[in-house]
Structure formats: structure tokens, C-alpha cells
Amino acid sequence: MRLILLVFISAVPHLMLAQLPSHESFVRPIRTVDSIPAPESVAIGPDGAWYISSFGKFGVEGDGAVYRITPENMNRELYAGGLDDPTGLVFVGKTLWVADRRGVYQVNRGRVRVIYEAASFPRRLNFLNDLAIGPNGTLYVSDTGDSSSAGAVFVLGPGKRPSVLAGSDTATAQSSVNGLHRGRADTLYTVGFRSGVLSVTDGHGEWRELARNLGAPDGIAAAGEAGFYVTDNDGGNLFLVPRTAGAALVILARGLKAPADLVVDSKRGWLVIPENAGNRLSVYRLRG
């Protein structure tokens, strides 16, 4: 694996060595949080706690939930129930937004409320997935589609009906868009679950492919200026994907159980990965 890292570094000479995470950091997690039924996504709240969406038993109405974990002691508590199969979540200020089968919700302790109902979207929804903060107070939400539908990214604005992000429903590489990461200005990075491709858009219809062969990518999170952490849900891999198109991929970890929408806890220097089929969170150290 060190040889692979050397190949990667030589392929991207402008990246500083200090920006690359050590492979040894991913030999084993430093902590795990068990007994979370099918965790899908993690967001860090303004209180520093981790908020985790949980499918429960997939396809069963009403058994989905959001859990809250205190990182200092890994104590877990039920934050809100009554969801179906909640996926992506993101905080906008103190407001927690969660995507689910029936739309996009605001979630508070013990209470869930749908704000953008499925019927308000411009096309039939298949499977709403990841969420990201958009420009000017908007949200992005991905619809991963199914074997017969291309899916899309929707823009959600206060007081407006959801609209399709330009090109997201026609870009071939994003025919099954899953994870989202907002870059600078209107830039949005996306991964295609069935295409195995990471792409970037300027938010106005132009799309560019950055990497392929990512398996069934689910979550994406920034790895500083070096690139992105991307989880391969089907293959159980954690990739480091450089920002430069065509540069070599690095497999940081293998054998994860359906890794999903991860998050970087920059305050603690940790990477938090929900393992959907493992019913747990795995925590990896990113710095010494």
C-alpha cells in the first residue's frame, strides 16, 4: 500500500505530503459505536454532537430515526423517530434537515415535519438521498433514481417549489447521483451510485468528470486540498480521490460493511463512517 501512495504522490506532484492522510490511520478504527440500526448519514450539529440517520429495517414505515451521539463518551440517544428510511442530513444554522422517502423534513428533538413534500417536486421521486447546503440559503438534494430512472439533483429554496439543478438529470455519469459535496461558489461535486463516477458542476449546466471506477460510491467528504474521501457501498472500500482528473486513486480501507455518507469531524481530527450493513459507526483518526 505504501507503493500505491508513492504512485499517487508522483502523479499529483503539486499536492503536499502533509495533506495526505496516513494509510496506517485506517488499519482499524479508533472507536466504534454499535447498535445503530442501519445508519446511513452523519452530520455534525452546532453543539458538536453527531446526528445519524437510521433506516431501522429498510422499507418499514415509521421505524426510521435520527440518533444523537456525544463524541466525548460515545453515548447514544434517540433524537427523533417516526421517519421511514431517512438518508442525508445537514444542518443549516441550528436547523436539521433530513431527506426521506416522502420528501425533505425539518427535524427537532422528538418532532419531524415535512417541508418539501414529494408532490411538490417537478418529477416523480424514486429515492431521495444526500443533502448539501446550496448558495443563497438553498439546499441540494439528490434523487438516486432506479434502474429505469436517471435521477437528478434538486434545488430547494425557501418559499419556492423544488427545481432541477441544470444538467443533473441529463449528465450520463450522474445517472444515479448519490453523495453531494458543495465546493466554492456554485460548484457541486457528486458521485454516481451506479456509474461509479465522481463529477463536478459549476451549478449552471456544465459538468466535468474527475474520477471513475469508484464501485458504488455513496458518501463524499473533502480531504483538505488533497481530494475527497469516497465510500464504496457495495465494495466496502474507502477511497482517497484526488481533485485532479485522471490521477490515481488510493484505497485507504477495505472490508467495511456497506459504508455510507461519512463526515469529517475537523475539530477532533476524526473521520466518521456509518456502516449501514454493520449497524455501527466506525471512527478513524486523521492526524496524530
Side-chain angles (χ1 to χ4, degrees):
M1 188 58 67
R2 292 185 180 183
L3 176 61
I4 296 174
L5 274 172
L6 288 172
V7 172
F8 171 73
I9 292 167
S10 64
V12 195
H14 68 280
L15 292 179
M16 296 176 61
L17 180 61
Q19 293 175 319
L20 297 174
S22 167
H23 177 260
E24 284 72 18
S25 299
F26 297 93
V27 171
R28 63 181 61 85
I30 60 169
R31 305 184 185 188
T32 58
V33 182
D34 297 311
S35 302
I36 300 176
E40 166 61 23
S41 183
V42 185
I44 300 173
D47 57 353
W50 301 339
Y51 292 77
I52 298 92
S53 59
S54 164
F55 284 166
K57 187 174 181 179
F58 190 77
V60 175
E61 289 188 8
D63 76 333
V66 174
Y67 290 90
R68 180 183 181 276
I69 290 177
T70 305
E72 286 72 21
N73 54 23
M74 297 296 163
N75 282 350
R76 186 201 73 170
E77 60 177 314
L78 178 64
Y79 186 70
L83 294 161
D84 295 325
D85 294 310
T87 50
L89 34 71
V90 68
F91 275 92
V92 180
K94 295 183 178 180
T95 302
L96 177 59
W97 295 87
V98 180
D100 203 346
R101 291 186 176 277
R102 303 187 189 190
V104 177
Y105 291 70
Q106 282 185 358
V107 175
N108 296 295
R109 185 180 293 275
R111 184 167 63 93
V112 300
R113 181 167 65 106
V114 64
I115 304 298
Y116 296 98
E117 294 182 315
S120 70
F121 284 75
R123 48 183 281 179
R124 182 179 68 87
L125 300 181
N126 289 281
F127 190 71
L128 286 185
N129 213 318
D130 200 15
L131 280 166
I133 300 173
N136 304 317
T138 62
L139 292 169
Y140 294 123
V141 62
S142 60
D143 180 357
T144 303
D146 58 22
S147 59
S148 61
S149 173
V153 177
F154 296 102
V155 183
L156 313 179
K160 299 179 181 179
R161 295 178 67 87
S163 60
V164 175
L165 178 67
S168 67
D169 58 342
T170 57
T172 302
Q174 293 310 305
S175 60
S176 53
V177 62
N178 191 335
L180 306 175
H181 174 75
R182 168 85 183 281
R184 296 184 179 92
D186 295 342
T187 300
L188 183 71
Y189 296 87
T190 68
V191 290
F193 187 75
R194 284 183 293 278
S195 67
V197 170
L198 185 153
S199 299
V200 61
T201 177
D202 63 359
H204 305 285
E206 293 293 327
W207 289 79
R208 182 165 56 93
E209 184 179 306
L210 294 181
R212 301 184 68 86
N213 302 317
L214 295 173
D218 190 317
I220 176 173
E225 293 301 316
F228 301 97
Y229 300 111
V230 175
T231 52
D232 171 8
N233 190 267
D234 286 354
N237 298 313
L238 171 66
F239 292 106
L240 177 65
V241 184
R243 291 177 185 266
T244 303
L249 307 176
V250 177
I251 299 178
L252 293 173
R254 302 178 186 268
L256 301 171
K257 296 184 177 180
D261 190 13
L262 72 177
V263 72
V264 173
D265 187 332
S266 56
K267 176 182 176 181
R268 299 173 178 88
W270 294 344
L271 185 67
V272 186
I273 304 177
E275 295 186 63
N276 190 263
N279 300 316
R280 68 189 178 209
L281 299 183
S282 290
V283 182
Y284 294 87
R285 191 185 305 279
L286 295 179
R287 58 175 183 258

